[in-house]
Amino acid sequence: MRTMPPPGSRVAFYSRFSTDRQKQTSIEGQERLCAAYATERKWIEFKRYSDSERSGTTTMGRAGLFEMLAAAERGEFDVLLVEDIDRTSRDAADMHQIAKELDELDIVICTVAGGVVTDIELAFKAVQNQQFIKQNVLKSKRGQELAVSQGRMSGSIPYGYRKVRKLDARGEPINGLREIDPEKAPIVRRIHEELDAGRTTFKICATLNAEGVPGPKGKPWRPGALLGNRHGGLGILRNPIYVGEYQFRKTSRRRRKGKIKMRFTDQSERMVTQHPELVIVDQDLWDRNQARLAENIDRPFHTKRKVEYVFTGRVHCGVCNSTCIVSDGKYVCTGRQQKGICTNSRRVPREAVETSIFDRIKVHVLNTAVLGPALTAFREEVERVRADHVARVASQGARLKEIDQRIANLMVQLGGAAEASFASQLLMEELERLGAEKRSLERQVKQAPPPPPVAGDVEAIISSISDTLGHLHQALQADDAEASRAKELLRGLITRIVLTPTPGSVTDGRGAGDMTVTVEGPIATLIALADLNIDRVAKHGHRPMFGLHNATAVWTFSYVLKWRDPRLATVHADLPIIARLLDEADVPVSMEAMAQALCDAGPTAGADADRSPDQRARNAVSYLQTWGFTRCINMRSPDTGYVWNDRGLSDDEWKARIAEPPMTRTIPVLRIIPPEVVVVIVEQPPRPDEEAGD
């Protein structure tokens, strides 16, 4: 047992306060008490150490404490003086460790409140301080639970809401009140609507940032602010507060090795309260988005990528069954392009396939012969599902009434039981179980009923579906939420597309040729479009998902898509000019001569008519060589040129002609003058005497 240090001992002060809610003057007050105590005992002050806004439950981040221990290790003081033992630490293990180190260094711990700290006092106060912290935590939780049960909230304010400043009867502020922020709430609704329309979180954030909309805490928008955490119900797309449901005790915290570890609690451990005045997002829209987010949890990463085109992943090769992808605007077989296992070299434009499919659906599927029986089956199935739903809701409602009655009875029994008795614990467990079952049944009762059957005659339904298809096809041309929604709806109409080269047709060397297109899709998705207009479908409509049985028949049809490369029109227009040069030439015709002839002839018809004469000449020669009509006589000089294959001359004979051109007789230019007619009159002149006689 240590005695009071003698006068002249070197003393160090240590002070601390816990949170930013306390004042810096707390340190000054502690140091003033320590200075008076040391002066009274004539100790020599060595140095003052302190930690501001640092909890006593851990030693992490307490620079002043470690600086003091380092000075003690160097033997710079003899006494450690604190206001009370809890200023050093409120954790029993940490306090004993600090006391042990100082005792080994022969340093005495003194407090202003009690003098020299004995071993018994140290043990008692260390445990007492630790229990004090635990009791404070429990009291704080009870206070928070009481506030939540009274309709208030705890924690940070979610985006879209703001704090309500209100005073109670005593004039003190009431904490935990929230209200909808009229400036931010539309942003929350817009985010949910755009996700429902099929836009990715990345595109939503990019659009908001481009428009200069401030994100949470004034920072730029990021996908993480939207998605949050699926286990904790965090993020704008996952926080249930936006449908008026506040969840308390989402997380629990544990201190481990000086650090706080947080985990998300199970749904059954949370305290849930309803706040209809805080609803920002409609329940139906919320449910659709939660279902959409849940779809991405267990899907492979490569399938989570948003499709670029309306039929991406749905188009297959009819030769090897590989997927067809879009390359340079045309569908090509990956079995040939990437794997080398397919002979299908056809390349058909994506837009031509999409347009032809939508046009053919209107002809082959949207007719009374196909949709008539399907509509009858659809109506019957919807009526059966609706009847099952009504019966299930009635059963769940009866069960809810029974649970409410049992909860009321248990509350009466709990009021008569002792607070800490075994019976009260059993009653609480039963109440928790019934409460979880009640919440589950309430969510099931709120589920929307199945869609109503489609009304009207078959002709009107077909006309409505046809108009909707046309609007959706037009909406694909834009780059916004409506285009994304239209893309998703149209993808739901088609389950598989097969592209097969038409037997007997030929290709033009560039992959163009007749293609047989086979299309498959469910009838129910077409029927779902009957009562929807383009605005509601593109922005707020439900995706075409059905659980119907006999109404989900699959339609299929095939047709031949004739495709010719439009660039060949220019080639065909230039061929007569090139052919005339080859017919009249006694030596190979150079590419420069062909280009000059095309330039002299002027523009021709075709998609590539505006190209340079050199390019047009190369395209024409390439076409002729592909079909085997011409060949190149390569002289490795400007004399290199092209000739007809059917001229019957070998390459050596053509080269000889270049070396010694054939003898030719040149006919001089003859000037042809029209014949002239000259009339000459010859007669004798009159005699003089005859003139005189006259």
Side-chain angles (χ1 to χ4, degrees), residues 672-686:
I672 301 176
I673 300 175
E676 298 179 356
V677 178
V678 179
V679 178
V680 179
I681 300 175
V682 179
E683 62 180 359
Q684 291 182 356

Side-chain angles (χ1 to χ4, degrees), residues 271-282:
M271 183 177 180
V272 180
T273 57
Q274 301 298 325
H275 296 267
E277 73 281 1
L278 297 181
V279 173
I280 294 179
V281 180
D282 294 337

